[in-house]
């Protein structure tokens, strides 16, 4: 019984941390997209398909990378991140276009693109950024999460708003 309790407690703490990291990454990704796309186009661009300030692909990417990609070998970690991010971008773009008829992004105007969905330069950037996140940023964010308990409540509220936003958009696309 103690083993079950310890396993459940460990799972619960990791799930809470993952939800917090999902929120931080989704919002940070949205901010980064606003800045990059606005500078690239010369006008304000609000990215994504949700109403709120979040791009869930970044949240899923960071949480997935944390669980699937980190290893003792930085080159191996980079290769996993490069491959994982490229697959996540391609699958997300494909599924979104399949269900909505819309492209979330289009790399065709950039060098080293493979169709509208993926770009070699961005795949390299995601791999390098992932290394920095996994080995430098995420440990600091995880410590802040442990140090400030109110962040759990904040991330839970943000997850609920993000889910409501997602359901509303999904219903709009189905209508």
């Amino acid at each position: 019984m103690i083993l079950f309790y310890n396993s459940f407690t460990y799972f619960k703490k990791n799930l809470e941390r993952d939800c917090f990291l999902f929120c931080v990454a989704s919002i940070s990704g949205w901010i980064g997209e606003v800045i990059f796309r606005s500078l690239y186009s010369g006008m304000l661009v609000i990215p994504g398909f949700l109403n709120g300030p979040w791009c869930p692909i970044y949240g899923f990417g960071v949480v997935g990378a944390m669980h699937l990609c980190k290893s003792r070998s930085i080159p191996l970690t980079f290769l996993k991140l490069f491959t994982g991010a490229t697959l996540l971008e391609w699958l997300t773009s494909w599924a979104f276009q399949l269900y909505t008829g819309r492209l979330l992004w289009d790399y065709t105007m950039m060098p080293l693109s493979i169709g509208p969905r993926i770009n070699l330069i961005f795949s390299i950037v995601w791999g390098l950024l992932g290394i920095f996140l996994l080995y430098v940023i995420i440990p600091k964010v995880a410590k802040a999460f442990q140090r400030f308990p109110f962040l759990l409540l904040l991330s839970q509220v943000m997850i609920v708003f993000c889910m409501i936003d997602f359901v509303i958009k999904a219903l709009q696309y189905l209508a």
Side-chain angles (χ1 to χ4, degrees):
M1 185 61 137
I2 292 173
L3 178 64
F4 175 75
Y5 176 77
N6 287 341
S7 296
F8 179 74
T9 303
Y10 178 78
F11 173 76
K12 182 177 179 261
K13 286 195 179 299
N14 281 339
L15 181 62
E16 291 168 349
R17 181 207 58 211
D18 290 354
C19 286
F20 177 70
L21 288 171
F22 176 87
C23 291
V24 168
S26 295
I27 292 170
S28 299
W30 183 85
I31 292 168
E33 289 266 342
V34 168
I35 292 168
F36 175 78
R37 288 182 180 207
S38 296
L39 289 174
Y40 189 78
S41 70
M43 58 188 233
L44 179 64
V45 176
I46 304 299
F49 65 99
L50 297 175
N51 296 311
W54 33 64
C55 288
I57 189 171
Y58 289 98
F60 287 117
V62 165
V63 172
M66 195 174 63
H67 288 287
L68 302 174
C69 296
K70 192 170 182 180
S71 72
R72 292 179 189 208
S73 164
I74 290 181
L76 179 59
T77 300
F78 173 80
L79 186 60
K80 289 178 179 181
L81 289 163
F82 174 90
T83 305
T86 302
L87 286 171
L88 180 61
E89 266 201 312
W90 194 90
L91 288 171
T92 301
S93 176
W94 173 80
F96 192 81
Q97 187 176 17
L98 179 69
Y99 290 108
T100 68
R102 238 179 92 201
L103 274 173
L104 278 173
W105 56 83
D106 185 354
Y107 289 132
T108 54
M109 298 299 188
M110 301 182 83
L112 303 175
S113 294
I114 303 169
R117 302 187 200 293
I118 55 176
N119 178 283
L120 181 61
I121 296 168
F122 275 92
S123 294
I124 291 169
V125 167
W126 301 140
L128 294 173
L129 183 61
I131 294 287
F132 181 69
L133 287 170
L134 285 177
Y135 293 98
V136 178
I137 300 297
I138 289 176
K140 290 179 181 180
V141 171
K143 283 181 186 173
F145 179 69
Q146 291 173 341
R147 196 166 166 208
F148 302 107
F150 73 90
L151 293 174
L152 172 61
L153 177 61
L154 182 62
S155 65
Q156 290 170 337
V157 169
M158 288 189 301
I159 289 282
V160 168
F161 279 122
C162 187
M163 289 171 59
I164 291 168
D165 194 354
F166 184 84
V167 168
I168 289 168
K169 278 296 188 175
L171 292 173
Q172 287 175 353
Y173 281 115
L174 291 174

